Amino acid sequence: MTSIQIQGEHRTPPVYSYASKEGLESDGSTSDHEPDEYTSLLAASAPPATGNLGNRSVSSLLDSDVRSTLKPKAKSTCLGRWCEPRWRSIYIMYFTMFLSAVTFSIVLSSIWPYLLQVDQVNATPFFLGWVIASYSFGQLVASPLFGFWADKRPTREPLLVAIVINVVFSLLYCYCGAIPSGVSGYIIIVSRAMVGFGAAVAAIVRSYVSEATTEKERTGAMAGVSSAQALGFILGPALGLAFVPLGSTGFVIEPIRFHFNVYTGPGYLSALMGVINVVLLFFFKEVKLSSTRDKKMRDRKVSPDHTLPLVTQRKYFDRCAAGTMIVLFFVVLFAFAVLETIAAPMSMDEFAWGKQQAILYNNAFFAGLAVLAIATFICIKFITKCVDERVVLMVSLFLMAIGYFVLLPMGDTLPKVAISWLDSPISTNSSVPWDNDNNLTHLEGVGCRDPPQSWCTYISQIYLVQYILALMLLAIGYPAGNLISYAIFSKILGPFPQGTMMGILTAAGSLARALGPMCVTALYQHFGPTVTFSSVVGLMAAAILLLLFTSYRLKPYSSNS
């Protein structure tokens, strides 16, 4: 322990729980080794050592503003990082991010059958695209606003408002079945748009975590945020498995028009998780490190190493690098949104699954993918210690491109055609082939819908093994790409407040998840899977080329360069 010598006396400075070598250790102990990144930045925030202050420790040079974030170690029987206000708040942010993602994905497997049941007037694949895109449009509008709010006011305020909006409109989604057909579809769009508006917490979460961690901690902390989000996206449909036994009837209380079934169960679960999230906010305590250290460096008019005047410092982060990461993040989210949107209708078309089968099997698949995603996150944490993050991002883009290439029709068997979708009864003069071995399934009412999808009669079927292999490749590529994109972006921004920029990045992801469903449903309905998935492969190839040509700029912020 370093001693302070003042007028012949030897004093030992107090132990601060946020001054360990590895960056805020759980036991609060300090290290006698070389000062860590955070300690060095705090030293920079103090006046230059002069006169009889030269022998003082870093801690003794901190003024009251910096000391307010460094609380002396207190004995406690509580174990783990949950006892530290800073890490407890970060963990609450993880759950908030998980909830935001779950509210988007938990209805994806059931929303198409739900739309078919409550609004037969508007139930088309193209209308489904608008239903799914409405969530992302809401998030697109709200993310910059909530990010700016979080920069100017305490983080708890925008968090609470966003979560309450999520709860209220998740409940409205569940009551769409009580609204007449022809109108209920539009109410679904409104409810999903407002749930997306509340999902703007994603920008707040990333901004807070980036400002509450040191640079050494940031990749791991951002990995936790991205893990929570990707887990929510992937595990959401898996959680829907719990409601499959309820069927389309479920539990009904008619006087209050309460219907708890396979379609509304996910909405009620989202609302319940939101209530839990509100309760957790009472344990949230805002502790931001970057704002304190950045302010102190500006006030002292010196660089972090005390060797350069402030005029040599960069006043802005690399905007070209930040813009590149926004584009790459857009592509990653767009590609995954395409699969989430098309999974239910495509599986019903290609594999002749009914409504209940599509919900059950797709939810089961996504449950398995959640396990694969968890394994990916665990591996990424160790891989990035020895492999450049830009290389990991490149590999993730390749895996996603290969996943969509695998989905291209490759056989010579046509999908089964659902004759119940035809406007007139089948006849021997129909343009649809007819023989004993034909793929018609008119008695079951399932299969590829012709019309409106005329390609059903001439584009080859996608086999189940292709579908499963593509899901596995995307379950590895998407989490890795999502995580690394945020980690690189956060490091590019450096010590500047990140609420607004994280809001812009989140808005880019929201735009991707809005355009993805609309584009894919339009292409899929009119041209089939070949054109749809070829387009995505082309987009992934363009993203890979962009990363190749700009990778040299995608590096952490440096104040002196």
Side-chain angles (χ1 to χ4, degrees):
M1 178 71 69
T2 305
S3 298
I4 302 175
Q5 186 172 1
I6 302 178
Q7 297 179 351
E9 298 184 30
H10 290 272
R11 299 179 183 176
T12 301
V15 177
Y16 291 95
S17 60
Y18 294 162
S20 64
K21 176 173 176 58
E22 294 303 322
L24 319 190
E25 295 175 355
S26 60
D27 60 4
S29 62
T30 60
S31 172
D32 294 329
H33 300 294
E34 181 181 357
D36 69 342
E37 171 217 0
Y38 184 54
T39 306
S40 299
L41 286 169
L42 291 175
S45 69
T50 59
N52 63 354
L53 298 178
N55 293 328
R56 290 192 179 186
S57 68
V58 168
S59 298
S60 67
L61 297 175
L62 302 177
D63 60 22
S64 59
D65 284 348
V66 180
R67 287 179 183 274
S68 65
T69 62
L70 302 177
K71 296 187 177 180
K73 179 181 178 182
K75 292 183 179 180
S76 173
T77 58
C78 186
L79 301 176
R81 281 180 165 177
W82 177 261
C83 303
E84 300 179 21
R86 186 176 71 103
W87 279 104
R88 180 171 63 243
S89 298
I90 290 174
Y91 293 149
I92 292 174
M93 294 295 97
Y94 290 170
F95 180 79
T96 302
M97 180 62 80
F98 174 78
L99 169 65
S100 171
V102 166
T103 56
F104 172 74
S105 64
I106 194 171
V107 301
L108 289 180
S109 295
S110 60
I111 196 167
W112 173 237
Y114 186 38
L115 184 62
L116 289 172
Q117 175 168 309
V118 302
D119 193 350
Q120 295 83 4
V121 176
N122 296 309
T124 64
F126 185 70
F127 192 85
L128 172 67
W130 279 101
V131 170
I132 296 177
S134 61
Y135 174 98
S136 299
F137 275 124
Q139 192 177 39
L140 171 65
V141 172
S143 291
L145 299 178
F146 277 88
F148 181 79
W149 187 357
D151 275 346
K152 302 299 181 182
R153 297 287 300 167
T155 303
R156 192 195 307 266
E157 291 181 11
L159 275 178
L160 182 61
V161 171
I163 294 171
V164 170
I165 290 174
N166 191 309
V167 171
V168 171
F169 286 93
S170 291
L171 294 176
L172 176 62
Y173 173 83
C174 299
Y175 270 84
C176 288
I179 300 171
S181 180
V183 178
S184 55
Y186 294 101
I187 301 301
I188 291 178
I189 289 179
V190 171
S191 63
R192 294 299 295 167
M194 293 306 298
V195 169
F197 196 91
V201 294
I204 306 171
V205 168
R206 290 193 175 89
S207 171
Y208 177 80
V209 171
S210 65
E211 295 186 49
T213 55
T214 66
E215 185 173 319
K216 289 183 179 179
E217 295 174 319
R218 197 163 300 150
T219 297
M222 296 303 284
V225 173
S226 296
S227 300
Q229 183 185 45
L231 259 183
F233 283 143
I234 296 175
L235 195 59
L239 293 175
L241 280 172
F243 306 104
V244 172
L246 295 174
S248 58
T249 303
F251 180 70
V252 180
I253 303 179
E254 194 58 41
I256 60 174
R257 308 302 294 270
F258 176 83
H259 292 256
F260 186 73
N261 52 41
V262 66
Y263 307 129
T264 61
Y268 286 119
L269 179 60
S270 295
L272 175 61
M273 294 175 69
V275 172
I276 296 173
N277 204 171
V278 170
V279 173
L280 288 176
L281 286 183
F282 288 101
F283 299 94
F284 176 84
K285 182 176 182 180
E286 186 167 349
V287 180
K288 291 185 178 181
L289 307 183
S290 62
S291 59
T292 300
R293 68 192 182 196
D294 187 49
K295 177 179 182 297
K296 289 300 174 183
M297 283 191 287
R298 291 196 302 269
D299 291 345
R300 301 305 181 190
K301 308 295 184 187
V302 293
S303 62
D305 58 5
H306 265 273
T307 61
L308 296 173
L310 186 63
V311 293
T312 66
Q313 289 186 283
R314 284 170 50 192
K315 296 183 179 180
Y316 304 102
F317 51 84
D318 188 340
R319 293 177 176 177
C320 178
T324 299
M325 288 310 306
I326 290 174
V327 172
L328 293 176
F329 183 70
F330 174 92
V331 173
V332 170
L333 268 291
F334 183 94
F336 194 71
V338 166
L339 179 69
E340 287 189 313
T341 303
I342 206 67
M346 186 187 73
S347 60
M348 294 174 69
D349 290 336
E350 299 291 339
F351 314 131
W353 290 347
K355 297 176 185 177
Q356 301 299 319
Q357 287 177 306
I359 295 173
L360 175 62
Y361 296 151
N362 281 306
N363 284 345
F365 286 152
F366 277 96
L369 296 182
V371 177
L372 186 57
I374 294 173
T376 300
F377 283 121
I378 295 174
C379 293
I380 289 296
K381 184 176 181 180
F382 295 101
I383 291 173
T384 52
K385 293 181 179 179
C386 55
V387 179
D388 192 292
E389 291 176 339
R390 293 167 293 185
V391 175
V392 178
L393 180 58
M394 179 71 71
V395 172
S396 69
L397 294 176
F398 267 116
L399 289 176
M400 296 184 75
I402 294 172
Y404 277 105
F405 180 81
V406 168
L407 272 178
L408 294 175
M410 299 179 183
D412 55 3
T413 304
L414 295 176
K416 295 184 178 182
V417 178
I419 303 305
S420 60
W421 287 77
L422 291 174
D423 294 329
S424 58
I426 188 71
S427 70
T428 56
N429 295 324
S430 171
S431 59
V432 180
W434 174 267
D435 55 49
N436 293 333
D437 298 324
N438 190 56
N439 293 322
L440 298 178
T441 56
H442 59 287
L443 295 180
E444 305 170 26
V446 296
C448 196
R449 292 154 292 141
D450 176 27
Q453 299 170 170
S454 59
W455 54 264
C456 294
T457 60
Y458 59 84
I459 292 183
S460 300
Q461 179 184 13
I462 295 174
Y463 297 112
L464 183 60
V465 65
Q466 290 178 256
Y467 182 55
I468 295 175
L469 180 58
L471 289 177
M472 293 176 64
L473 290 170
L474 290 166
I476 298 173
Y478 167 71
N482 186 293
L483 161 61
I484 297 301
S485 295
Y486 275 113
I488 294 176
F489 188 74
S490 176
K491 291 179 180 180
I492 289 172
L493 298 182
F496 299 98
Q498 300 191 7
T500 302
M501 288 305 299
M502 283 295 178
I504 293 174
L505 184 68
T506 303
S510 301
L511 181 62
R513 290 201 304 270
L515 295 180
M518 290 192 299
C519 293
V520 70
T521 50
L523 287 175
Y524 182 77
Q525 179 172 328
H526 293 94
F527 304 105
T530 302
V531 173
T532 301
F533 300 138
S534 296
S535 300
V536 180
V537 172
L539 180 64
M540 299 304 300
I544 292 171
L545 291 176
L546 175 63
L547 179 57
L548 281 173
F549 287 113
T550 61
S551 60
Y552 73 97
R553 302 193 67 157
L554 306 181
K555 54 186 179 181
Y557 171 89
S558 175
S559 61
N560 298 325
S561 61

